[in-house]
Amino acid sequence: MPQPFELPDFYVPYPARLSPHVGPARTESTAWARELGMLEGSDVWTESDLLAHDYALLCGYTHPDTDPEMLTLITEWYVWVFFFDDHFLNTYKTSGNRAEAHAYLTRLCAFMEPENVLTATNPAEAGLVDLWARTAPLRGPDWIRRFTEATRHLVMASMWELDNITAKRIANPVEYVEMRRRVGGAPWSACLVEHAVNAEVPPVVSDTRPMRVLRDTFADAIHFRNDIFSYQREVEQEGELDNGVLVLETFLDCSPQEAADRLNDLLTSRLQQFEHTALVEVPELLPMVGLDTKACADLVTYVKGLQDWQSGGHEWHMRSSRYMNKGGATRSQSPWILPPASVFGIPGLGNTAFTVKHADDRARSFRHVPCQSVGPSRIPTINPGFALRLSPHLGQARIQLLDWAERTGMFAGQPGVPGSALWDRETTAGFDFALCAAGISPDATAEDICLTSDWLTWGTYGDDYYPAVFASRRDRAGAIAQNVRLASLMPVHDGEIPATEPANALELGLVDLWERTTPAMTDDARAFLRRTVTEMTGSWEWELGNLALNKVPDPVDYLEMRRKTFGAELTACLASIRRGSVIPPELELHEAIASLENSAADYACMINDVFSYQKEIEFEGDVHNIVLVVQNFFDCDYTTAIGIVGDLMDQRLTQFERAAGTDLPQAYKDYDLDQAAREALDARAQQLRDWIAGVLNWHRETRRYPEEDLLKRFPKVSDRIFELTHTLHRSGGLRLG
């Protein structure tokens, strides 16, 4: 059968190395699979199938430095996961028996629970029991927590694939990236890297941004590569719909060849983001958390293990009978250049090396010219179809907001801080954050509308303050110190007092908001609120780092960080945070909840970006805007980028409505939720509809974005360009932007 497209130039700058212990691992893992019933008689594989797939070769390439016993164990883990995937396909994806599929997956996950007393009844269960007993006792609690979560995601997300097949639905690109991490299993593989090299990520850093980005970029690159190689088998032969090439083929309305090339561009971007994080963000993190020498050495070993997996995984895809791999060396005649050295060790040419195109893709992210004249923002058709409702307390909130901002010092320059006189009363009145609050919480009390108005004001002031004060002075250390002080002003426990005295308007405002927001909240709710605020302020620091390098962000990294820079989690759920969580514990990690929350957040963030494009790109010299990110990634003009963003907005909105109208009700049935839980989750969906309608209405009415208002607030272009050549680029805008 001819291949549907030629394989693209893959970015594999590091050499693949092969373990000398592949032979024994192959023999022992085959015997293990036969003993557990995975071969003849399973209706899934024969021994010849398993030998042709050659998972021992995969693990020999991806874990080249392990001893023979460990390589066998890791190989058996991969035999198990591929058997599980193929067995689920054969048994449930073809029959479509949803109830039996959910029961099967739920039972399989139960075998990881400490109190489990179940007896295995099939090869997938027996394999998990055996492997868990040989692995978990050797690892610490934090690793077990992360590996359990990754395995549960891998197993339960199979329902998402099953539902897509039943509905004949192809995911949108953002949804696909998020769900592929769950169902594709690469975060699970990252945990096994720690086990294989005996180097656990220290708990103090395991949930930090650099570690999360390393895991996510590692996972995305593995999945995108696999999607390119497996397109023919999955899409043409098995009828699968969850393949990244097919997703882009559908979204961009293009040929499989163009879609594969675009997915490969994204693969390259994710690997280059991995390198940036490993070489820049991880070294910046280590002094802040005070790791000892052994912990630092373990991190280095772990990062190198992730790197080995990338090169080894590519080499295995080139050799396994499971995938199409003819002509895989390269189809490009572009000249090669020397690749970068290994992140932590081995230099030299990789499998397909590092071409001029790869170098140009990397360089383009740093070539943006700030403060270009772009003209008024062009707004695509935006019609979410949600009725706008406004609080009757809007007038009161408008008056109170201005008095509060003046009282906390936002209308004055901060003592000893040049460039900190950002707003005045007239400008702030034109921003009209009370209008946004009145739309996103139309049924709230007057007190809560005023409180939400003040939170929106504080968040936007902070997002203006960081670039004006810290970026202009190249003072990232000052931003980090400011974040530490802000965190210290949000005590979690009853009776606990702030660790420091507020010293500027940003701190005074936060202290006041915290005291008004948290009195009736539980410690858990306060901890959740504190986390959302610190993640938002931490994302402003991330923006400063990109501005220092004039780096247009990677598309996936941008969208995921944009939810934080926008304060989406804070502004969209402030009322429910105060009331307590509405999500039942068994659903907190469910795909339907993630789909509902993230699609709504992305839609609102993109509303902001299309309205704020001129303000950010022309007047502030910023690089954080989805339209610019799309322009950079696709190397296209503004009009084309706006069209792509508009299409993505439409698809994220469709996903939100499907999550609210189909996925949540299905989850109610799957978990037999009581009426109170169902009503609470339905109310959450309605709250997000109000949030989207309120955010859109605010953008249409505020004086923050129209060109005539920008010309009044900002110096002329020539002055801004002069300033930018002597200082770090300015950014702006809550992301309410």
Side-chain angles (χ1 to χ4, degrees), residues 195-385:
H195 184 60
V197 300
N198 194 30
E200 291 185 34
V201 174
V204 70
V205 299
S206 64
D207 291 327
T208 60
R209 171 187 151 79
M211 291 298 106
R212 175 181 58 78
V213 173
L214 285 181
R215 287 193 297 270
D216 289 349
T217 51
F218 167 80
D220 293 345
I222 287 175
H223 294 148
F224 299 161
R225 180 185 295 109
N226 177 262
D227 285 352
I228 293 170
F229 277 98
S230 64
Y231 177 90
Q232 187 170 43
R233 178 177 63 84
E234 291 182 343
V235 176
E236 295 188 347
Q237 297 174 10
E238 296 176 352
E240 287 270 13
L241 300 178
D242 297 308
N243 179 286
V245 178
L246 181 62
V247 166
L248 290 185
E249 184 183 343
T250 303
F251 177 72
L252 298 173
D253 191 20
C254 64
S255 67
Q257 183 69 66
E258 182 179 350
D261 289 342
R262 288 300 189 187
L263 187 62
N264 185 54
D265 289 341
L266 191 56
L267 190 164
T268 300
S269 180
R270 297 307 279 156
L271 284 176
Q272 292 175 349
Q273 176 68 47
F274 175 93
E275 293 168 341
H276 175 84
T277 303
L279 293 171
V280 177
E281 296 188 43
V282 172
E284 288 178 344
L285 172 70
L286 298 184
M288 294 187 232
V289 295
L291 294 181
D292 60 27
T293 302
K294 181 183 182 306
C296 290
D298 283 347
L299 272 182
V300 170
T301 302
Y302 168 65
V303 173
K304 185 177 180 299
L306 297 179
Q307 176 187 294
D308 284 338
W309 211 114
Q310 292 290 347
S311 296
H314 181 87
E315 188 69 19
W316 176 71
H317 276 84
M318 294 294 300
R319 296 170 182 268
S320 175
S321 68
R322 191 176 175 90
Y323 305 109
M324 68 173 216
N325 42 34
K326 294 178 182 177
T330 181
R331 68 177 178 85
S332 170
Q333 298 304 310
S334 57
W336 291 0
I337 64 174
L338 285 177
S342 163
V343 172
F344 287 113
I346 304 170
L349 286 173
N351 300 355
T352 37
F354 181 52
T355 69
V356 169
K357 180 185 184 303
H358 296 141
D360 186 66
D361 288 342
R362 187 196 296 270
R364 189 168 64 247
S365 295
F366 298 90
R367 287 201 298 253
H368 173 67
V369 178
C371 293
Q372 300 175 63
S373 178
V374 298
S377 298
R378 305 174 203 171
I379 312 302
T381 300
I382 303 175
N383 181 24

Side-chain angles (χ1 to χ4, degrees), residues 23 69 190-191 384:
E69 183 180 357
C191 289

Side-chain angles (χ1 to χ4, degrees), residues 618-698:
E618 179 176 332
F619 286 86
E620 295 175 333
D622 204 350
V623 295
H624 300 98
N625 186 288
I626 186 60
V627 182
L628 179 65
V629 169
V630 168
Q631 284 180 267
N632 179 76
F633 178 75
F634 286 99
D635 197 16
C636 64
D637 61 19
Y638 178 37
T639 301
T640 302
I642 279 287
I644 293 173
V645 171
D647 289 344
L648 187 57
M649 291 178 68
D650 290 343
Q651 293 207 14
R652 291 300 269 170
L653 181 65
T654 298
Q655 181 185 340
F656 170 80
E657 288 289 45
R658 187 186 70 254
T662 301
D663 298 345
L664 277 182
Q666 183 62 60
Y668 302 163
K669 295 178 184 177
D670 289 343
Y671 291 90
D672 194 23
L673 295 187
D674 61 28
Q675 190 62 28
R678 296 179 182 213
E679 290 176 356
L681 286 168
D682 286 342
R684 176 62 181 145
Q686 181 56 47
Q687 185 182 36
L688 289 170
R689 292 187 185 97
D690 287 333
W691 183 64
I692 289 172
V695 166
L696 176 58
N697 179 65
W698 177 80

